[in-house]
Structure formats: structure tokens, C-alpha cells
Amino acid sequence: MAGRAGGATGRPPLTERRRAETRMEIAEEAVRLFAAKGVAAVTAEDIAVASGVSTRTLWRYFRSKEECVRPLLTTGLDLLTDRLRDSSGDHRSLAEAILSLQQDDDATPRLRALGDLLRLCRDEPGLRAVWLEAHYDAEAAFAAMIAARTGRPAGDLAVRVEAGVLNTALRVGVEDWALRPDRSAGPSFAETVTRALRMIGGMGGDGRAG
């Protein structure tokens, strides 16, 4: 992605990277506070203080205290779309291409935080809305990638259905892993998401379900 700002390496400029790091730090502190105290008991000011930023800065990045968690919810989706965006010459289905990228380790702190956050989403409508909104936005990105791979319009009904099926498989797979009573006892995050993607076969490649 040499055309992106940041030079031939495709890396974003330092200010953009620092902004993304700050957003993620805020997200991780928000999850920690929400898990410890409950969403209702935590204020935006609490999150700002824990993150080492001003409340004004927090509101510049997020529209609500619940939305502070969005970077954590979207980090995996963003990574997938970044890696797959320029792969229109790859004739594998999009699901198969995503399967080849599954390398996450359940032991990473960020993945553990994601699991804790999705548990909170069950009982917190505001957090659940952010999770569903993140997947709604991802669905459009998947449709665009499927269209690029197949030469069909992104607004084509079949493309949109394929993107929706892929998106749902990813969401349900992640939720199945996160909501397991003991995540360490069953299949790993990568194994669970892989199983979910394999259930939908070859959708997202040549336009036919495998």
C-alpha cells in the first residue's frame, strides 16, 4: 500500500500511529473500568484520568463513554481488512484468505481484554450497540473486497449477502469463543473462528457457496 501517507513502506505517519495508540490505550482502560465497576458507575472523566488524557481529548476521539471500547472491538477487523484490501488478484474465497491469516494467541492481553469486553456486551446495551455497529461497518468493507475479487458491483445483492454471511460467521465465532465459561478449556480463539469460517465454505470467492 505504497500510496498511503507515510512513505513507500505503507506505514502511517507518526502522528496517525500515535493517535491510534492513544485510542487503544483509552479502550483498554475503559474495559478495565467497566469490568471492575460496571458501565453505569464509570464516567468519561474516570476513563480519561485512567488513560492519562484530558476529558477534552477523550471527547475528541469518541462520542460516548461506551464508544471508547470501539478500537478494541475493531482491531481484528481492521487488521483483516488492511491485509486483504489489495488482494483482488487472489482467487481464493475471502473466507479462505482470512483463514490463512488466523494466528492469534488466546494468551495475548489484548485478546483477553476483547473476551472480557464481549462478556460485558451481553448485559450492556450501549456496548453491544458499538459491537454491532463495528460489524455493520465491516460488512461494507467485505462487500467491497468481494466485489474487487469477482468483478461484480459492491451493491450487488449476491455480493452483499456473501459479505453478510462472512461477517456473521466472524462475529458469531468470536462471540462463541468469548462467551465460553472457561476459554482456556476449549478450542482457542483461532480454532473457533476457523471452524466458523469453514462452515460457510467458499463464499466470497467465485460467488458460489462451497
Side-chain angles (χ1 to χ4, degrees):
M1 293 185 286
R4 291 182 59 185
T9 63
R11 296 185 66 188
L14 180 60
T15 53
E16 184 179 331
R17 294 204 305 275
R18 182 55 194 152
R19 191 176 299 116
E21 289 168 1
T22 299
R23 285 170 56 87
M24 183 60 73
E25 289 164 5
I26 292 172
E28 291 172 340
E29 288 299 330
V31 172
R32 184 182 64 79
L33 290 171
F34 290 158
K37 301 180 179 181
V39 175
V42 176
T43 67
E45 290 75 16
D46 293 333
I47 299 171
V49 169
S51 306
V53 301
S54 68
T55 305
R56 183 177 180 180
T57 295
L58 184 142
W59 288 133
R60 190 163 63 241
Y61 288 142
F62 303 106
R63 296 172 296 179
S64 68
K65 67 178 183 181
E66 290 86 359
E67 197 184 52
C68 289
V69 304
R70 185 179 171 103
L72 186 59
L73 291 174
T74 62
T75 183
L77 293 170
D78 291 344
L79 180 61
L80 285 176
T81 53
D82 281 348
R83 289 183 179 179
L84 295 166
R85 187 170 285 116
D86 294 332
S87 61
S88 57
D90 188 340
H91 297 296
R92 295 176 299 175
S93 73
L94 197 56
E96 290 168 338
I98 291 173
L99 281 170
S100 71
L101 301 176
Q102 294 298 321
Q103 298 177 347
D104 297 279
D105 181 353
D106 288 7
T108 62
R110 190 160 294 169
L111 198 54
R112 288 200 303 270
L114 174 61
D116 293 341
L117 176 54
L118 290 179
R119 286 176 182 265
L120 288 171
C121 285
R122 291 179 299 181
D123 303 315
E124 297 288 351
L127 296 181
R128 187 162 62 248
V130 176
W131 172 237
L132 295 177
E133 181 183 23
H135 272 277
Y136 180 85
D137 293 342
E139 192 167 303
F142 290 143
M145 285 186 280
I146 292 170
R149 286 167 174 267
T150 62
R152 293 175 289 164
D156 181 78
L157 177 61
V159 170
R160 293 179 60 200
V161 169
E162 290 168 22
V165 170
L166 174 61
N167 190 39
T168 299
L170 284 168
R171 179 180 61 80
V172 173
V174 173
E175 290 173 348
D176 184 79
W177 165 81
L179 301 180
R180 194 176 299 140
D182 182 1
R183 292 196 295 264
S184 65
S188 69
F189 173 86
E191 290 167 342
T192 305
V193 174
T194 294
R195 183 184 176 200
L197 288 173
R198 284 178 175 158
M199 288 178 182
I200 65 173
M203 295 191 77
D206 60 6
R208 298 188 297 270

